Amino acid sequence: MDLAEFVGPAIRQHRQLVRISQEELAARSGLDRTYVSGVERGRRNPTVEALQKLANGLGSDLDVIFATARQIATLRTARRS
Protein backbone atom coordinates (compact mmCIF):
# COMPACT_ATOMS: atom_id res chain seq x y z
CA MET A 1 0.00 0.00 0.00
CA ASP A 2 1.38 3.39 -1.04
CA LEU A 3 0.44 5.81 1.73
CA ALA A 4 1.82 8.85 -0.10
CA GLU A 5 -1.39 9.46 -2.03
CA PHE A 6 -3.49 9.26 1.15
CA VAL A 7 -1.52 11.59 3.43
CA GLY A 8 -3.07 14.72 1.88
CA PRO A 9 -6.64 13.49 2.35
CA ALA A 10 -5.75 12.52 5.92
CA ILE A 11 -4.50 16.04 6.63
CA ARG A 12 -7.66 17.48 5.08
CA GLN A 13 -9.81 15.19 7.22
CA HIS A 14 -8.06 16.24 10.42
CA ARG A 15 -8.22 19.91 9.43
CA GLN A 16 -11.95 19.62 8.87
CA LEU A 17 -12.38 17.80 12.19
CA VAL A 18 -10.78 20.69 14.07
CA ARG A 19 -12.79 23.11 11.92
CA ILE A 20 -10.04 25.34 10.68
CA SER A 21 -9.36 26.71 7.20
CA GLN A 22 -6.33 25.95 5.09
CA GLU A 23 -5.21 29.49 5.84
CA GLU A 24 -5.43 28.88 9.59
CA LEU A 25 -3.57 25.58 9.32
CA ALA A 26 -0.88 27.28 7.27
CA ALA A 27 -0.49 30.01 9.88
CA ARG A 28 -0.32 27.49 12.72
CA SER A 29 2.20 25.39 10.79
CA GLY A 30 4.40 28.20 9.51
CA LEU A 31 3.69 27.19 5.92
CA ASP A 32 2.10 28.90 2.95
CA ARG A 33 -1.62 28.32 2.33
CA THR A 34 -0.95 27.27 -1.26
CA TYR A 35 1.48 24.66 0.03
CA VAL A 36 -1.16 23.25 2.41
CA SER A 37 -3.63 23.16 -0.47
CA GLY A 38 -1.14 21.34 -2.66
CA VAL A 39 -0.45 18.76 0.04
CA GLU A 40 -4.15 18.14 0.62
CA ARG A 41 -4.78 17.71 -3.12
CA GLY A 42 -1.78 15.41 -3.56
CA ARG A 43 0.03 17.92 -5.77
CA ARG A 44 2.88 18.44 -3.31
CA ASN A 45 5.11 15.75 -1.85
CA PRO A 46 5.79 17.09 1.65
CA THR A 47 8.96 16.36 3.57
CA VAL A 48 8.76 14.70 6.95
CA GLU A 49 9.59 18.10 8.45
CA ALA A 50 6.61 19.70 6.67
CA LEU A 51 4.35 16.82 7.73
CA GLN A 52 5.46 17.31 11.33
CA LYS A 53 4.66 21.03 11.10
CA LEU A 54 1.21 20.22 9.71
CA ALA A 55 0.54 17.65 12.42
CA ASN A 56 1.61 20.17 15.07
CA GLY A 57 -0.62 22.79 13.48
CA LEU A 58 -3.51 20.35 13.75
CA GLY A 59 -2.69 19.60 17.38
CA SER A 60 -2.03 16.00 16.43
CA ASP A 61 0.81 13.52 16.22
CA LEU A 62 2.30 12.46 12.93
CA ASP A 63 1.57 8.80 13.67
CA VAL A 64 -2.13 9.68 13.97
CA ILE A 65 -2.01 11.32 10.54
CA PHE A 66 -0.39 8.19 9.09
CA ALA A 67 -2.98 5.97 10.80
CA THR A 68 -5.74 8.04 9.21
CA ALA A 69 -4.00 7.77 5.84
CA ARG A 70 -3.96 3.97 6.24
CA GLN A 71 -7.68 3.97 7.09
CA ILE A 72 -8.50 6.07 4.02
CA ALA A 73 -6.37 3.80 1.83
CA THR A 74 -8.06 0.68 3.19
CA LEU A 75 -11.53 2.13 2.63
CA ARG A 76 -10.77 3.22 -0.92
CA THR A 77 -9.15 -0.12 -1.76
CA ALA A 78 -12.19 -1.97 -0.41
CA ARG A 79 -14.53 0.16 -2.54
CA ARG A 80 -12.56 -0.70 -5.69
CA SER A 81 -12.83 -4.42 -5.05
Side-chain angles (χ1 to χ4, degrees), residues 27-44:
R28 291 181 183 191
S29 304
L31 300 168
D32 189 82
R33 188 209 54 82
T34 60
Y35 184 81
V36 173
S37 173
V39 169
E40 286 188 0
R41 292 181 296 121
R43 302 285 190 249
R44 301 295 302 245

Side-chain angles (χ1 to χ4, degrees), residues 15-64:
R15 179 179 60 77
Q16 290 171 339
L17 284 170
V18 296
R19 297 176 185 233
I20 60 173
S21 65
Q22 287 180 345
E23 189 170 338
E24 177 65 21
L25 176 56
R28 291 181 183 191
S29 304
L31 300 168
D32 189 82
R33 188 209 54 82
T34 60
Y35 184 81
V36 173
S37 173
V39 169
E40 286 188 0
R41 292 181 296 121
R43 302 285 190 249
R44 301 295 302 245
N45 188 14
T47 63
V48 173
E49 180 182 357
L51 288 172
Q52 187 63 61
K53 288 179 179 183
L54 288 165
N56 291 344
L58 291 165
S60 185
D61 292 319
L62 193 50
D63 59 333
V64 174

